[in-house]
Amino acid sequence: MKSIEISARTVAEAVELALAQLGKDRDEVAIAVLDSGEAGDEALVRVTVVDDDDDAEERPAPEGTLEEVQGVARSILEELLARMDIHAYVTPVVTRVPGQKGDIEETITLHVEGADEEAMGLLIGRRGETLRSVQFMVNLLVSRRVQKWPQIVVDVGNYRQRRQESLEGLARRMAERVRQTGRPIMLEPMAAYERRIVHLALRDDKTIYTESSGEGENRKIVIYPAKQ
Amino acid sequence: MKALLEYIALNLVDNHEAVQIKERVGRFTVTYELSVDPEETGKVIGRSGRVAKAIRDLMGVAAARQNKRVHVDIE
């Protein structure tokens, strides 16, 4: 098996360089991060080819290329919407960000837009609860169709972005209050990805720190004043 | 509404012949009984009922579009 080691400024860059050099796709190699490149060091990765070209030809049709997954995801969501009696346009957008393990995380976002505000509101549901179920169902149905579990985000009328901005605003206002009163504040229960938004929004604020407490549905964030 | 449940169920399980959907239409509420191959019930319920919840949420939207409530039983 062919294997190369490459260093670059970040893990993601190193991986991309290695893939370019090998002429391989992300799903044809195994990636080991030898040095994640923190503390100013260069990142070092070892990329090993797992599929050789010979057996690549024996593999079934390239089911699961990103373009294909995108098309499948879009049509599945359109099928679901039509059967919910909702008229809307679905636009897929692909984003690539470096993942934690040094790979490139590809996310397909399906943007749903429709003129019927009431229908869009139903799709989102209280606090985005229904939207999460729609997203879960799309991921599940797509994964059954293409035999892998891609990361698909469903957004309706930019709800996710607006929600993120409003959570970040809330986080900063509450942090300010904690700073002024010197007392911790407990926020409303939130879903995991919403808590993550709040933690990240306040990560660089050294005057306070955040923690989650409680279990399951009841898990919520507490903002504490920094210890003196 | 039934078309939505049918679409989801058929795409979640392998044994299509065993998929059965019974529909009872009331004045305000529509009740569905979904049954699949006993071997495949897990696929329509999911870990801690995650799939069942998603099915019910989506069916809830379809029902609300017709100003109805919906109840989905999965066996």
Side-chain angles (χ1 to χ4, degrees):
Chain A
M1 272 193 295
K2 201 172 171 188
S3 173
I4 58 170
E5 287 178 16
I6 289 233
S7 66
R9 202 169 48 81
T10 66
V11 170
E13 272 176 25
V15 170
E16 273 198 295
L17 281 173
L19 291 178
Q21 204 154 56
L22 291 165
K24 292 288 170 191
D25 277 331
R26 174 67 190 83
D27 57 356
E28 295 170 307
V29 299
I31 294 169
V33 178
L34 304 176
D35 187 333
S36 62
E38 273 156 55
D41 291 347
E42 292 237 299
L44 180 64
V45 298
R46 181 192 298 133
V47 175
T48 310
V49 180
V50 286
D51 288 2
D52 282 317
D53 276 334
D54 324 334
D55 42 55
E57 276 157 20
E58 287 163 29
R59 272 184 296 166
E63 183 123 51
T65 65
L66 198 61
E67 286 66 32
E68 199 167 357
V69 176
Q70 211 182 120
V72 169
R74 176 191 182 168
S75 79
I76 283 176
L77 182 54
E78 283 173 343
E79 300 278 353
L80 290 171
L81 291 173
R83 286 167 178 78
M84 283 186 239
D85 199 19
I86 289 179
H87 301 275
Y89 298 96
V90 179
T91 317
V93 174
V94 174
T95 49
R96 294 179 173 84
V97 292
Q100 287 174 334
K101 294 178 216 87
D103 47 353
I104 311 288
E105 271 178 22
E106 288 168 331
T107 304
I108 301 170
T109 304
L110 300 172
H111 289 280
V112 180
E113 283 163 302
D116 186 340
E117 287 291 326
E118 194 194 311
M120 297 303 112
L122 279 174
L123 269 186
I124 294 168
R126 203 173 58 88
R127 287 178 179 255
E129 182 91 351
T130 310
L131 186 54
R132 272 197 289 282
S133 282
V134 172
Q135 176 173 311
F136 177 79
M137 186 56 76
V138 170
N139 274 284
L140 185 59
L141 295 180
V142 171
S143 70
R144 269 187 67 82
R145 194 78 59 87
V146 299
Q147 306 301 321
K148 62 177 181 180
W149 191 275
Q151 169 105 6
I152 300 167
V153 173
V154 179
D155 198 357
V156 173
N158 254 341
Y159 170 79
R160 289 188 186 281
Q161 197 186 328
R162 283 185 285 128
R163 178 80 179 142
Q164 174 167 354
E165 283 163 10
S166 99
L167 282 172
E168 286 168 349
L170 172 81
R172 279 191 287 270
R173 284 193 302 281
M174 293 302 119
E176 178 59 32
R177 195 180 294 177
V178 169
R179 209 167 14 247
Q180 279 171 5
T181 62
R183 286 187 187 166
I185 288 182
M186 187 179 271
L187 303 181
E188 293 289 297
M190 288 174 198
Y193 85 92
E194 296 194 332
R195 291 197 307 272
R196 183 165 180 270
I197 291 171
V198 173
H199 285 304
L200 288 177
L202 299 179
R203 188 171 55 175
D204 294 329
D205 187 337
K206 298 299 173 222
T207 63
I208 47 102
Y209 67 97
T210 57
E211 259 173 24
S212 293
S213 70
E215 291 299 318
E217 297 278 289
N218 242 325
R219 201 157 162 78
K220 45 198 152 192
I221 287 184
V222 186
I223 306 176
Y224 296 95
K227 289 166 189 137
Q228 298 302 324
Chain B
M1 262 193 277
K2 192 177 178 181
L4 177 65
L5 187 57
E6 219 164 52
Y7 177 81
I8 295 173
L10 291 177
N11 279 289
L12 285 178
V13 301
D14 294 319
N15 184 356
H16 289 184
E17 261 105 81
V19 173
Q20 275 182 31
I21 297 171
K22 278 188 217 151
E23 184 182 45
R24 280 203 311 274
V25 184
R27 241 177 99 197
F28 305 108
T29 308
V30 187
T31 306
Y32 290 98
E33 273 173 40
L34 169 67
S35 62
V36 301
D37 189 319
E39 296 277 304
E40 296 192 290
T41 0
K43 293 180 182 170
V44 289
I45 293 176
R47 205 165 1 112
S48 50
R50 190 69 190 84
V51 179
K53 181 191 184 310
I55 293 177
R56 292 191 175 110
D57 281 354
L58 267 62
M59 288 297 286
V61 174
R65 296 290 286 163
Q66 302 180 16
N67 296 312
K68 296 224 175 207
R69 291 175 158 276
V70 68
H71 190 85
V72 183
D73 285 327
I74 299 171
E75 46 204 60

